[in-house]
Amino acid sequence: MHNKSTIEEIEARFDKDVARFSNLETGQQTTLDASFTMELITDGIAAMDPHPKRILDIGCGAGNYPVKLLSKMITNPDITLADLSQPMLDKARERIQPLTTGMVQTVKGDFRTIPLEENSFDAIIATAVLHHLRDDVDWETAFARLYHLLRPGGSLWIFDLVAQEHPAIQGLLFKERYGHYLASLKDATYRDQVFAYIEQEDSPRSVMYQANLLKQAGFRSVDILHKNLCFASFVAFK
């Protein structure tokens, strides 16, 4: 665990990768069902609350999810964007501000500690970000913070790399099946490069671990939306 990338190292990698994360059609190519899940989550937010006032996107990257969400909104919510990378935040604001008359605020830093108003957000988007958490304390702190940031009745929408509880199933779904997918994108060398930075940067947990922890944090219910191999999307309601 102590050999994992630091927050600063992860920030530096994403600073150099803005263009790849600005593709609304493909999203992150290494992420299974990226476009499908973006549609699913943004449709879900719009269905849950057609007139949201405040949306928070943590680890927003170049802003794909708010861009897609605002195309489905008839109102103009305020959007708060949080990310480690300033270049990502700059690109996200550039893309999102023309789409809403609401305020677009960017906040650079770790979502667990940056200044954000509690009990104020109608929906929080957390896509491809929580897998960067480390030990149980990190996960508990993160879910507690997200719970307190939501207004009563608000919802948290997660899409992320997940682990499997059983080592044999982890090997099958991640190393074998997901590995085959990565190799099909380019070649075995590319697959190994992706596996290497996942090993260096990421500490994913299982869907059940996260669902149970969300309940412990105070969320009243959790719904699983979609799972394909080692990627899953789910929503929690305050």
Side-chain angles (χ1 to χ4, degrees):
M1 186 72 70
H2 66 279
N3 291 324
K4 293 283 187 180
S5 297
T6 64
I7 291 290
E8 293 75 19
E9 289 168 337
I10 294 171
E11 174 187 340
R13 186 172 77 82
F14 282 103
D15 281 351
K16 302 172 184 176
D17 217 5
V18 174
R20 182 166 68 92
F21 287 90
S22 302
N23 190 322
L24 198 61
E25 299 306 316
T26 63
Q28 293 178 242
Q29 196 175 31
T30 56
T31 302
L32 295 174
D33 296 340
S35 296
F36 171 83
T37 302
M38 189 184 303
E39 294 286 354
L40 182 64
I41 286 180
T42 52
D43 280 345
I45 295 171
M48 279 294 304
D49 189 352
H51 307 285
K53 294 180 179 178
R54 298 189 71 192
I55 305 290
L56 170 64
D57 187 352
I58 63 166
C60 66
N64 282 345
Y65 273 75
V67 168
K68 181 64 71 173
L69 177 63
L70 288 169
S71 73
K72 303 174 180 183
M73 291 272 135
I74 59 173
T75 57
N76 288 275
D78 293 338
I79 306 289
T80 299
L81 306 165
D83 203 276
L84 296 175
S85 168
Q86 190 61 50
M88 289 286 191
L89 288 169
D90 293 342
K91 175 56 73 172
R93 181 198 288 276
E94 173 190 313
R95 299 171 72 206
I96 293 164
Q97 187 63 82
L99 304 179
T100 180
T101 58
M103 180 180 67
V104 177
Q105 177 187 17
T106 61
V107 189
K108 183 182 182 304
D110 187 329
F111 74 89
R112 292 168 295 176
T113 56
I114 55 178
L116 294 167
E117 184 181 354
E118 294 192 348
N119 299 302
S120 65
F121 294 100
D122 300 285
I124 297 176
I125 300 168
T127 59
V129 61
L130 297 177
H131 63 270
H132 292 308
L133 298 171
R134 298 293 180 239
D135 58 18
D136 287 343
V137 174
D138 272 350
W139 284 90
E140 291 163 8
T141 300
F143 282 174
R145 181 84 200 280
L146 295 171
Y147 177 84
H148 290 300
L149 290 173
L150 283 169
R151 66 164 178 77
S155 52
L156 168 63
W157 302 79
I158 296 171
F159 171 54
D160 219 327
L161 174 71
V162 297
Q164 314 306 312
E165 296 285 0
H166 195 287
I169 303 302
Q170 174 70 4
L172 173 65
L173 299 191
F174 180 71
K175 284 293 186 181
E176 184 177 328
R177 297 295 179 87
Y178 180 52
H180 177 76
Y181 167 77
L182 291 174
S184 74
L185 292 177
K186 193 175 295 186
D187 53 32
T189 299
Y190 177 74
R191 175 201 64 202
D192 294 344
Q193 289 171 345
V194 174
F195 278 164
Y197 79 67
I198 289 175
E199 177 63 26
Q200 183 63 31
E201 288 190 2
D202 305 339
S203 306
R205 297 297 181 97
S206 72
V207 174
M208 295 309 300
Y209 173 91
Q210 294 182 63
N212 290 334
L213 192 57
L214 286 164
K215 290 287 194 69
Q216 291 175 31
F219 288 90
R220 57 185 169 84
S221 65
V222 180
D223 275 338
I224 308 303
L225 302 174
H226 179 67
K227 186 175 185 296
N228 185 356
L229 302 183
C230 51
F231 288 87
S233 55
F234 42 105
V235 57
F237 302 97
K238 181 172 179 178

